């Protein structure tokens, strides 16, 4: 990925810090915390402060460039958004289906951080009730 061209395509102002952060995230095999990104930039000799890293990451998140992964306890890590992996959510009653973003990204990071295991694949089967079927079910109970 040419980071400069990519930022231009998203109409994001190009700065040395943003390019370096995007390059780092693009090369990283795992999600990174803001502190990881900050120290890497410092180690590379880039004169950047922590608030700049936070602002850049927020900007990347707003522009759908990175996924923000909630690790709990107010901790987050970030990784380049991959091809949108989707799952189907199906109503158990009427069989209506909708497509949803894969919720496994956060789970994969939690597993890696707590166990040092890295998921290489997953299967996810979701069953649910849609709003209309819940309403019908509740109306039957009220009668």
């Amino acid at each position: 990925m040419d980071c400069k061209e990519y930022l231009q395509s998203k109409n994001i102002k190009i700065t040395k810090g943003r390019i370096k952060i995007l390059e780092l995230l693009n090369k990283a095999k795992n999600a990174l915390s803001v502190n990881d990104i900050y120290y890497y930039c410092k180690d590379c000799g880039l004169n950047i402060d922590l608030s700049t890293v936070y602002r850049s990451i927020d900007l990347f998140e707003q522009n759908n460039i990175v996924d923000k992964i909630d690790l709990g306890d107010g901790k987050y890590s970030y990784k380049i958004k991959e091809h949108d992996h989707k799952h189907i959510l199906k109503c158990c009653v009427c069989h209506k289906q909708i497509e949803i973003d894969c919720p496994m990204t956060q789970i994969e990071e939690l597993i890696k951080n707590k166990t040092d295991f890295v998921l290489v694949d997953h299967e996810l089967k979701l069953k649910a009730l849609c709003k209309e079927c819940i309403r019908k079910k509740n109306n039957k109970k009220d009668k």
Side-chain angles (χ1 to χ4, degrees), residues 15-93:
T15 65
K16 289 179 185 178
R18 289 177 183 161
I19 290 171
K20 183 57 81 179
I21 292 167
L22 190 56
E23 286 173 348
L24 170 62
L25 288 168
N26 192 43
K27 291 177 185 175
K29 293 179 182 172
N30 299 310
L32 302 171
S33 70
V34 169
N35 283 337
D36 293 336
I37 296 166
Y38 171 72
Y39 289 117
Y40 173 82
C41 289
K42 286 298 213 181
D43 289 345
C44 290
L46 186 63
N47 187 18
I48 194 169
D49 57 34
L50 193 55
S51 63
T52 300
V53 177
Y54 272 106
R55 284 193 305 272
S56 296
I57 289 295
D58 286 344
L59 182 63
F60 292 169
E61 185 184 4
Q62 291 167 10
N63 282 277
N64 239 359
I65 297 170
V66 297
D67 282 322
K68 181 178 185 178
I69 301 161
D70 186 348
L71 302 173
D73 296 329
K75 296 178 183 175
Y76 300 92
S77 62
Y78 302 86
K79 67 185 222 173
I80 292 288
K81 192 174 275 288
E82 296 173 4
H83 300 292
D84 290 333
H85 176 73
K86 305 282 185 178
H87 288 278
I88 302 296
L89 188 58
K90 183 177 180 179
C91 179
C92 298
V93 177

